[in-house]
Amino acid sequence: MTSVVEIDIAAPRARVADLFSDPANNPKWMSDIERCEPEPGIPSVPLTGSTHRLVPKSGNRVFVATVLSKDLPDELRLRLEAPNVVVSIVDRFVATSPEVTRLVSEEEFRFKGVVNSMLGFLAQPAIKKPHRRHMDAFKQFVEHELLRER
């Protein structure tokens, strides 16, 4: 199952990509994330191959995020893993003008096992809605950060 969200953000492409690629910012715009923890022994700088844990505010579904490639300000590729699902993420940053960036976020879900695959198929609307909500929240976060910096 794939979910694609495109959103225009009133900020320069390099700034949008920097804010998005820093896992320390995730709890600032992902309302369901309590904290982001670098894996022990791994530098907190999100380089290709680095991992961090996304710890939720409620529940126990912790995702381990791995940076697959980081070609900023153009693109960031991540893999999120939980016991029953793997999410491949490609985020592209496209300058539509010097002060506007289009974020194209694509998430592909692969569920582990037959039962989880069936549940995932049935839950498609419930999966796509948080993706849109997260991208809208990121847009607000970036635009608020730029106002604060001025």
Side-chain angles (χ1 to χ4, degrees):
M1 191 216 84
T2 301
S3 174
V4 178
V5 174
E6 292 188 26
I7 192 162
D8 287 342
I9 302 171
R13 180 172 79 143
R15 187 68 178 127
V16 171
D18 285 343
L19 288 169
F20 194 86
S21 67
D22 184 352
N25 288 328
N26 290 354
K28 296 175 185 176
W29 56 273
M30 296 176 97
S31 62
D32 49 353
I33 297 296
E34 176 71 31
R35 64 188 181 281
C36 186
E37 302 172 340
E39 287 291 330
I42 304 290
S44 61
V45 178
L47 302 172
T48 299
S50 66
T51 60
H52 57 275
R53 295 167 24 104
L54 297 170
V55 180
K57 288 182 178 174
S58 63
N60 58 0
R61 181 172 294 173
V62 173
F63 280 92
V64 174
T66 303
V67 178
L68 299 178
S69 70
K70 188 175 177 183
D71 183 21
L72 300 180
D74 298 319
E75 182 179 273
L76 176 67
R77 291 178 181 261
L78 303 169
R79 182 180 61 241
L80 302 180
E81 292 187 59
N84 60 347
V85 65
V86 174
V87 185
S88 297
I89 302 171
V90 179
D91 295 300
R92 293 181 182 89
F93 309 95
V94 180
T96 59
S97 77
E99 295 299 318
V100 177
T101 302
R102 176 164 296 140
L103 169 57
V104 180
S105 180
E106 182 176 329
E107 297 182 350
E108 179 185 332
F109 293 79
R110 289 178 310 232
F111 295 91
K112 299 175 183 177
V114 175
V115 173
N116 288 325
S117 294
M118 290 186 331
L119 291 173
F121 178 77
L122 296 173
Q124 287 185 48
I127 291 170
K128 291 181 179 190
K129 187 176 180 179
H131 186 198
R132 168 55 73 177
R133 187 180 73 241
H134 283 154
M135 295 304 102
D136 288 339
F138 177 70
K139 172 186 170 124
Q140 289 178 333
F141 165 70
V142 171
E143 292 173 353
H144 182 301
E145 282 293 303
L146 287 183
L147 285 175
R148 205 170 57 82
E149 291 171 0
R150 291 179 186 174

